[in-house]
Amino acid sequence: MTIRTRFAPSPTGYLHVGGARTALFSWLYARKHGGQFILRIEDTDLERSTAESVNAILEGMTWLGLEYDEGPFYQTHRFDRYKEVIKQLIEQGDAYPCYCSKDELNDMRDQQRANKEKPRYDGRCRHLTSAKPGVEPVIRFKNPTTGTVIVKDEVRGEVEFKNSELDDLVIARPDGSPTYNLTVVVDDLDMGLTHVIRGDDHLNNSPRQINIFTALKAEPPVFAHVPMILGDDGARLSKRHGAVSVMSYRDEGYLPEALLNYLVRLGWSHGDQEIFSVDEMIALFDIDSVNKSASSFNTDKLLWLNQQYIKNSTAEHVAHHLSWHMGERSIDPVTGPNLAAVVELQQERAKTLVEMADNSCFFYQAVEEFDEKAARKNLTTKSQEILEEMLQRLSALELWQAEPIHKEVKDCSVDREIGMGKVAQPIRVAITGNTISPPLDLTLELLGRERTLSAIRYAIDWIKAKSSDLDGA
Ligand code: GLU
């Protein structure tokens, strides 16, 4: 048997981390077993589904690298097929038209509540022999009234539901459009899915879906309902806990592998291992080791993982993702040093790519303004002299390399009988605008002679202008 799994999002918002984790588990399961992973867009709710949301989901899947073997399929393209199945269910006596009005249904429920019964549709249209003129009916599935349905869940074990608790579900609206539980069954069946891995908010739908599978004389897939993700306060993860959309993690400077690694550990573990490459995830993942209980989202841990991935990935890989952030800052890295070489200098020093991008702009854009505090301390009339001397020394250097650059800084500090920091820091402020940079010699080598000298000149002029302002004051 070829394993076939799917991710079936409703395009009513962005791809959020909960959905992404469900997608990841389904994807891993298919990859592990050499099966196929299918993307299905459940867009039958025409009022809430949007094209932007479809794009956001596709963008999120691509960014995470969760490539699908088939799809995206769109449920709105399959209405004819759903109608065919609804017709079949009516013809074989497993579905029927219901003409009850809203008022009638409300009265029925009020009555049931008054009798201390659970409000549910009582099946009163099951036995109608003729249509009600002038009323477009809904179609209801004739759920068995006795016995039980057992959901054999890979995560939860066997979960039993009494048929008497399930009422006759609406499978088509008055305009003939199908509802969620019907479309899911038809698609899972037609698409040959062997495993349905989804959020446990759908667990209550499974017995209903199993009954429809049975009516269609088909074997239901294996189910695995994954527990939900909680915020750090124990409530279901939502916007108020911070970023929940996958793409906001890109925007905040996370590498997709770090987010995948974080998500796989939300509800799944393998001993006490924390870091998993995608290949390791595929090799080690299994549904039966998914936790039964909900897991909490912990941003600090995600940040730690991100730092590990930034440190340990190849510079080329990080540069590929960093270039997007440079673009966001209107910087085209071809205008300056090789971005992977910049990454090599910054890899150990950044927790996020946002931080890395912010601290790397100076490689591509001359600094025009200095951090106030950094300038007050380091761009003084005293450091003007040092900068002037270093301008001479660096201009005269034959070989523009870290080692001779380092030697000039050192010689200058020895001559002046001051610490090396007193020489290095004004240069650092001149080139970065701030006091943060990788080791100065390596930074200057990569920045290049021309950019370095012109930054030092600019800083000298800035100091001069400032002191003449002060003189005039
Ligand atoms: N479209 C449903 C949702 O986004 C998922 C349906 C399913 O996985 O069966 O919640």
Side-chain angles (χ1 to χ4, degrees):
M1 175 180 78
T2 308
I3 301 287
R4 286 170 65 82
T5 66
R6 46 54 161 203
F7 177 49
S10 304
T12 54
Y14 40 71
L15 178 61
H16 56 85
V17 288
R21 188 197 47 170
T22 309
L24 173 62
F25 283 4
S26 299
W27 181 84
L28 286 173
Y29 195 74
R31 289 290 169 268
K32 182 187 175 79
H33 295 283
Q36 282 122 24
F37 173 66
I38 289 142
L39 179 63
R40 181 169 82 217
I41 305 290
E42 303 208 321
D43 55 351
T44 54
D45 185 341
L46 300 177
E47 267 166 35
R48 295 180 59 224
S49 302
T50 65
E52 289 103 76
S53 169
V54 172
N55 290 337
I57 290 167
L58 299 180
E59 188 186 24
M61 297 290 283
T62 305
W63 184 71
L64 287 171
L66 299 179
E67 78 280 10
Y68 29 93
D69 304 295
E70 290 173 29
F73 294 112
Y74 294 86
Q75 289 193 321
T76 44
H77 298 176
R78 290 178 41 81
F79 272 41
D80 288 347
R81 173 66 185 139
Y82 306 135
K83 284 192 178 148
E84 198 176 278
V85 174
I86 292 164
K87 189 162 163 258
Q88 178 193 336
L89 286 169
I90 297 173
E91 281 170 5
Q92 66 190 39
D94 286 313
Y96 61 92
C98 164
Y99 296 86
C100 295
S101 66
K102 270 211 172 82
D103 287 346
E104 231 173 313
L105 292 173
N106 285 339
D107 288 347
M108 172 175 32
R109 291 194 186 110
D110 288 346
Q111 193 69 48
Q112 287 164 334
R113 275 189 208 102
N115 296 342
K116 305 234 174 330
E117 290 166 21
K118 192 171 152 196
R120 59 202 289 278
Y121 182 68
D122 63 5
R124 62 180 62 177
C125 287
R126 272 188 176 217
H127 309 292
L128 286 187
T129 46
S130 57
K132 263 194 202 164
V135 183
E136 283 303 333
V138 299
I139 305 296
R140 288 185 186 270
F141 174 67
K142 211 183 262 181
N143 198 81
T145 49
T146 57
T148 57
V149 193
I150 294 174
V151 182
K152 292 197 194 89
D153 193 276
E154 292 284 297
V155 176
R156 300 290 197 97
E158 293 196 352
V159 189
E160 196 176 296
F161 295 84
K162 284 198 181 82
N163 270 323
S164 57
E165 300 274 319
L166 310 171
D167 54 5
D168 289 350
L169 184 76
V170 174
I171 56 173
R173 301 184 185 92
D175 63 1
S177 63
T179 61
Y180 162 73
N181 280 294
L182 187 277
T183 57
V184 166
V185 171
V186 176
D187 287 350
D188 286 345
L189 191 57
D190 286 357
M191 296 172 190
L193 293 159
T194 58
H195 291 70
V196 166
I197 300 169
R198 61 184 170 196
D200 67 0
D201 47 336
H202 286 290
L203 181 62
N204 287 333
N205 287 319
S206 294
R208 300 172 177 284
Q209 293 174 10
I210 290 173
N211 282 337
I212 301 177
F213 274 105
T214 308
L216 294 172
K217 300 180 184 51
E219 193 63 34
V222 174
F223 290 98
H225 289 92
V226 180
M228 60 181 161
I229 303 177
L230 307 176
D232 42 18
D233 57 355
R236 191 184 186 123
L237 187 70
S238 72
K239 263 191 214 153
R240 69 193 170 80
H241 294 105
V244 283
S245 113
V246 164
M247 295 319 285
S248 65
Y249 284 95
R250 175 200 56 187
D251 299 351
E252 290 181 12
Y254 289 82
L255 282 171
E257 305 75 41
L259 186 57
L260 285 177
N261 193 149
Y262 183 68
L263 291 177
V264 82
R265 284 282 295 103
L266 268 182
W268 174 81
S269 56
H270 179 74
D272 50 17
Q273 186 172 339
E274 286 296 352
I275 298 188
F276 297 87
S277 68
V278 171
D279 286 343
E280 277 178 304
M281 287 181 207
I282 294 172
L284 298 171
F285 181 78
D286 225 330
I287 286 289
D288 47 22
S289 34
V290 169
N291 291 343
K292 286 187 183 49
S293 50
S295 19
S296 309
F297 201 85
N298 176 333
T299 316
D300 291 340
K301 189 166 159 199
L302 174 56
L303 191 60
W304 174 80
L305 273 170
N306 199 46
Q307 188 177 16
Q308 301 303 310
Y309 273 88
I310 289 178
K311 229 196 258 186
N312 299 319
S313 303
T314 64
E316 284 71 23
H317 179 76
V318 178
H320 168 75
H321 290 285
L322 182 65
S323 70
W324 183 84
H325 290 276
M326 299 311 271
E328 288 293 287
R329 287 157 183 73
S330 306
I331 289 174
D332 180 353
V334 301
T335 60
N338 178 282
L339 195 59
V342 171
V343 170
E344 266 174 39
L345 286 187
Q346 302 280 32
Q347 249 171 325
E348 296 277 335
R349 328 168 54 88
K351 287 197 174 78
T352 70
L353 297 181
V354 164
E355 201 185 323
M356 194 186 280
D358 286 343
N359 291 337
S360 301
C361 289
F362 73 87
F363 280 108
Y364 303 92
Q365 260 172 4
V367 166
E368 283 172 6
E369 277 172 50
F370 303 103
D371 173 73
E372 212 187 300
K373 200 168 147 214
R376 206 183 315 127
K377 182 145 181 254
N378 299 288
L379 299 183
T380 58
T381 36
K382 211 169 186 168
S383 48
Q384 183 188 331
E385 269 176 45
I386 298 172
L387 288 171
E388 276 165 352
E389 180 180 335
M390 284 307 296
L391 187 63
Q392 296 303 319
R393 285 177 176 271
L394 294 175
S395 309
L397 258 193
E398 264 174 43
L399 205 56
W400 191 261
Q401 275 180 0
E403 220 174 291
I405 292 171
H406 180 83
K407 187 168 178 303
E408 294 304 327
V409 175
K410 191 162 177 206
D411 289 353
C412 176
S413 76
V414 171
D415 286 358
R416 291 178 174 263
E417 295 179 355
I418 53 177
M420 264 177 77
K422 289 259 178 331
V423 179
Q425 208 62 340
I427 305 177
R428 182 172 275 125
V429 175
I431 60 165
T432 68
N434 214 315
T435 50
I436 312 157
S437 87
L440 189 69
D441 47 0
L442 297 170
T443 305
L444 295 190
E445 176 183 327
L446 192 57
L447 185 62
R449 189 194 302 259
E450 235 167 88
R451 284 174 195 256
T452 303
L453 298 183
S454 91
I456 295 177
R457 274 188 214 107
Y458 181 86
I460 293 170
D461 290 344
W462 187 89
I463 298 171
K464 283 185 189 158
K466 185 130 198 218
S467 46
S468 68
D469 269 5
L470 288 179
D471 290 346

CSV table of all heavy atoms in Angstrom, one decimal, residues 30 111 132 163 245 274 384 433 448:
chain,number,residue,atom,x,y,z
A,30,ALA,N,4.4,10.9,5.0
A,30,ALA,CA,4.4,10.5,3.6
A,30,ALA,C,5.9,10.3,3.2
A,30,ALA,O,6.2,9.3,2.6
A,30,ALA,CB,3.7,11.5,2.7
A,111,GLN,N,-37.8,23.1,22.7
A,111,GLN,CA,-38.6,22.0,23.3
A,111,GLN,C,-37.7,21.0,23.9
A,111,GLN,O,-37.9,20.5,25.1
A,111,GLN,CB,-39.4,21.3,22.1
A,111,GLN,CG,-40.5,20.3,22.6
A,111,GLN,CD,-41.6,21.1,23.3
A,111,GLN,OE1,-42.1,22.1,22.7
A,111,GLN,NE2,-42.0,20.7,24.5
A,132,LYS,N,-42.2,19.6,-0.1
A,132,LYS,CA,-43.0,20.8,0.3
A,132,LYS,C,-42.9,21.8,-0.8
A,132,LYS,O,-41.8,22.3,-1.1
A,132,LYS,CB,-42.5,21.4,1.6
A,132,LYS,CG,-43.2,20.9,2.8
A,132,LYS,CD,-42.8,21.8,4.0
A,132,LYS,CE,-43.1,21.0,5.3
A,132,LYS,NZ,-42.5,21.6,6.5
A,163,ASN,N,-23.9,6.4,18.2
A,163,ASN,CA,-24.7,7.0,17.0
A,163,ASN,C,-25.9,7.8,17.5
A,163,ASN,O,-26.3,8.8,16.9
A,163,ASN,CB,-25.2,5.9,16.1
A,163,ASN,CG,-24.2,5.6,15.0
A,163,ASN,OD1,-23.5,6.5,14.5
A,163,ASN,ND2,-24.0,4.3,14.7
A,245,SER,N,1.4,33.6,12.4
A,245,SER,CA,1.5,33.3,10.9
A,245,SER,C,2.9,32.8,10.6
A,245,SER,O,3.9,33.4,11.1
A,245,SER,CB,1.0,34.4,10.1
A,245,SER,OG,2.0,35.0,9.3
A,274,GLU,N,17.1,17.5,20.5
A,274,GLU,CA,16.4,18.8,20.2
A,274,GLU,C,16.6,19.2,18.8
A,274,GLU,O,15.7,19.8,18.2
A,274,GLU,CB,16.9,19.9,21.1
A,274,GLU,CG,16.5,19.8,22.6
A,274,GLU,CD,15.0,19.9,22.7
A,274,GLU,OE1,14.2,20.3,21.8
A,274,GLU,OE2,14.5,19.7,23.9
A,384,GLN,N,39.6,62.3,16.1
A,384,GLN,CA,39.8,62.8,14.7
A,384,GLN,C,41.3,62.6,14.3
A,384,GLN,O,41.6,62.2,13.2
A,384,GLN,CB,39.5,64.3,14.7
A,384,GLN,CG,39.6,64.9,13.3
A,384,GLN,CD,39.5,66.4,13.3
A,384,GLN,OE1,38.8,67.0,14.1
A,384,GLN,NE2,40.1,67.1,12.4
A,433,GLY,N,28.5,53.1,11.9
A,433,GLY,CA,27.6,54.0,12.5
A,433,GLY,C,27.3,53.7,13.9
A,433,GLY,O,26.6,54.4,14.6
A,448,GLY,N,36.4,46.5,2.0
A,448,GLY,CA,37.2,47.0,0.8
A,448,GLY,C,37.9,48.3,1.2
A,448,GLY,O,37.4,49.0,2.0
